[in-house]
Amino acid sequence: MTSAFTGTGAFTFGLDETSIPFLALFAVVWLLSGLYTAITTPAADRPRLFAYYVPSAVGGIGVAAASDAVSFYLCFALMALPAWGLITHTRSAESRRAGAIYLTLTVVGEALLLAALVLLVVETGTTSLPGYRDAIAGLPSAALITTLVLATIALKIGMLPLSGILSLTYTYTPTGPAAALAGASTKVGALAMLRLLPAGGMPPGWADAVMVLGLTTAFGAAVLGVLTDHPRAVLGYSSASQMGLVLIAAGAGLSDTNAATLAYGAVVTYALHHGLAKAALVLGDDVVQRLSGRRARSVALAALALPALALVGAPLTSGFVAKYALKDAVHAVGGDISAAVYVGLSWAAVGTAALMLRFFALTLQPRETTPGNARGAALVWGLLLMLVATATWMWPSDWNQHAISSAFSLSSLWAALWPGLIALGVWGVIARIVPGGTRYRAVVEPGDLLTMVARGASRWAARADRPRPVAAGRSEARSSSLAEPLLGAERGYLRWTIAATTFVLVALALAWLALG
């Protein structure tokens, strides 16, 4: 690996073969999503929205080029924390609850990441980020560091049982920022896989366990997504499902050094492919609602099929390239577990196809038309679609060569087609024989388990804060009216104090446990 890093002291940024594709992806997604936001957001709302969007974008782009542990952590946090303001922008009760859940999980993830980085710095004696991947397996705390990093990644990518976090953030965030979170924010989890997970050297059980977790997430999130009824929530569960596949790729490289090279390529190509396709799906759903006229909407729906087919892995799409890279990595691992996972990958594509069918069924349902600049929005979306169609095929690398050489092979074409055909056939049968067809009511609300826990916690807090009966009187009422704002401020202060203290204590406790 050749590097061209610059900087002095603790804060260094630069480019290498890992940072370049992620920097390109993050810059394109954040910039195009920001342009879409500027075009479609009312002028009165732009300052408040961009006050959160800009720092999150700076962190999201900077994290790709960070070459030391301190810069990586600070950019990671700068991207993640302001996203709370994007999720809660509408100020509805649902968006505030989604923001609270997001912020809680983000704080936990930051603590876990901080602990992992502290251990890496102490045990390697350096803050240089590129060297960690090859050094981790030989460290005394390799198992703990790998566990902490995997836990951080699980919170970022929505691994089961936390898949609901992505459906919440996608559903309640305005369209432009939602596309940025969908296309770039979750892919920081993929970047962390390449920077902070071992490249071979771990016991074989690690690879098997992580690949099984990834496959379980791919199937479980797909089931949850098919059972929800908001287009963005479906896309959120789809992202969790697809990132489960990325986790499989990362797992494949934990134990076998030879497989680690193929796993690296699979993670990169999946990040590029999924980041562009998912951002295009989020923007495309909004563009369809903005367009008026049957012909314009039909053209938009046809164009929306491109990123949807890419996620399924249809022939000649970016997903076709990604699936080939992933299968190559899993095949190189060897063993019964990897063989079972290899077979499961094709069936996971059936789940992805079902998610896309559900997404289209919901997009076609009449909704309130979104006002705004439809022509400008469609132009930005068109630029993103062009990248979806070409980026993974044209990128100069080794990880797309197998797909290119097999693009017109009949066996490869059939392997890429049959999962979608099965999903389409089952969908057609359901539409014909089930009352209401594919327009069934939702069984799963956005956030699933996380929303249920948050709602229960709110009810418990409401009962705990319920005032005790007091004797009626003007003095008591006046005292209560004066005291309530002070008590509210105190409760808010205590919540933030407890959260910040917990953050620091968890990080220090984990570091002490490893070093003690």
Side-chain angles (χ1 to χ4, degrees):
M1 179 185 297
T2 58
S3 303
F5 287 94
T6 59
T8 59
F11 302 99
T12 54
F13 297 85
L15 301 177
D16 65 1
E17 64 182 26
T18 299
S19 63
I20 289 173
F22 283 94
L23 182 62
L25 171 66
F26 296 167
V28 165
V29 171
W30 279 107
L31 290 174
L32 288 182
S33 297
L35 181 58
Y36 191 95
T37 303
I39 291 172
T40 58
T41 303
D45 291 339
R46 287 174 197 160
R48 183 163 59 90
L49 190 60
F50 276 100
Y52 293 100
Y53 188 93
V54 171
S56 191
V58 170
I61 296 172
V63 73
S67 62
D68 68 274
V70 177
S71 301
F72 184 85
Y73 179 77
L74 291 179
C75 289
F76 190 99
L78 182 60
M79 175 204 65
L81 294 176
W84 169 83
L86 303 176
I87 298 168
T88 60
H89 177 74
T90 61
R91 299 180 180 179
S92 65
E94 293 82 4
S95 68
R96 289 182 177 182
R97 182 172 62 227
I101 295 171
Y102 170 84
L103 194 58
T104 300
L105 296 183
T106 296
V107 168
V108 173
E110 297 287 337
L112 295 170
L113 177 61
L114 179 59
L117 290 174
V118 168
L119 290 171
L120 281 167
V121 171
V122 170
E123 296 193 7
T124 61
T126 179
T127 61
S128 179
L129 203 61
Y132 288 158
R133 191 165 181 254
D134 294 326
I136 291 174
L139 299 178
S141 301
L144 179 57
I145 292 171
T146 303
T147 300
L148 291 171
V149 173
L150 285 171
T152 301
I153 291 169
L155 291 168
K156 197 67 186 172
I157 68 174
M159 192 177 77
L160 283 180
L162 303 174
S163 300
I165 186 61
L166 299 185
S167 67
L168 281 173
T169 57
Y170 290 16
T171 299
Y172 299 111
T173 306
T175 299
L181 296 181
S185 181
T186 55
K187 307 311 169 294
V188 175
L191 177 62
M193 294 177 193
L194 297 183
R195 290 299 196 196
L196 302 175
L197 286 180
M202 299 296 288
W206 280 91
D208 293 343
V210 173
M211 287 193 294
V212 169
L213 283 174
L215 191 63
T216 302
T217 297
F219 279 106
V223 172
L224 292 171
V226 170
L227 296 178
T228 193
D229 66 353
H230 192 288
R232 296 261 200 89
V234 174
L235 294 180
Y237 286 114
S238 170
S239 284
S241 179
Q242 291 282 297
M243 293 306 290
L245 300 179
V246 180
L247 190 61
I248 291 173
L254 289 179
S255 302
D256 190 318
T257 305
N258 294 324
T261 302
L262 295 171
Y264 168 89
V267 172
V268 172
T269 186
Y270 249 101
L272 281 174
H273 142 69
H274 184 264
L276 295 171
K278 189 52 60 73
L281 285 168
V282 173
L283 295 186
D285 174 63
D286 188 64
V287 169
V288 169
Q289 306 309 316
R290 290 177 182 276
L291 292 172
S292 59
R294 191 170 186 177
R295 178 177 297 179
R297 287 173 62 88
S298 296
V299 171
L301 285 168
L304 192 60
L306 172 62
L309 290 171
L311 289 189
V312 179
L316 304 183
T317 64
S318 60
F320 183 85
V321 180
K323 284 289 174 65
Y324 253 94
L326 176 57
K327 288 184 174 181
D328 287 346
V330 173
H331 182 72
V333 176
D336 295 337
I337 298 296
S338 63
V341 170
Y342 187 90
V343 173
L345 292 177
S346 296
W347 289 100
V350 177
T352 302
L355 284 169
M356 292 300 98
L357 289 169
R358 177 63 169 163
F359 169 70
F360 268 84
L362 294 172
T363 300
L364 289 170
Q365 292 181 9
R367 281 183 279 164
E368 183 179 351
T369 302
T370 306
N373 187 344
R375 182 174 296 180
L379 179 60
V380 175
W381 182 48
L383 293 175
L384 192 55
L385 287 176
M386 291 174 60
L387 292 173
V388 172
T390 60
T392 56
W393 293 99
M394 301 298 293
W395 193 271
S397 66
D398 294 330
W399 42 255
N400 55 15
Q401 295 305 307
H402 192 181
I404 292 172
S405 64
S406 305
F408 297 102
S409 165
L410 291 180
S411 61
S412 299
L413 293 174
W414 173 244
L417 280 173
W418 70 259
L421 295 176
I422 288 179
L424 189 61
V426 172
W427 196 260
V429 171
I430 293 174
R432 180 173 294 273
I433 67 175
V434 177
T438 56
R439 296 184 179 182
Y440 52 85
R441 294 179 62 85
V443 177
V444 176
E445 64 178 327
D448 55 89
L449 179 64
L450 296 175
T451 299
M452 293 170 57
V453 171
R455 191 177 289 120
S458 296
R459 284 196 290 263
W460 180 84
R463 285 197 298 269
D465 289 342
R466 189 175 298 161
R468 297 178 180 178
V470 295
R474 291 184 179 180
S475 60
E476 289 84 356
R478 181 178 300 175
S479 176
S480 176
S481 65
L482 292 174
E484 186 58 33
L486 296 176
L487 291 173
E490 182 185 23
R491 286 194 294 269
Y493 172 77
L494 287 174
R495 289 191 183 102
W496 279 105
T497 301
I498 291 170
T501 303
T502 303
F503 176 96
V504 174
L505 289 178
V506 168
L508 292 177
L510 291 171
W512 176 83
L513 181 65
L515 299 173

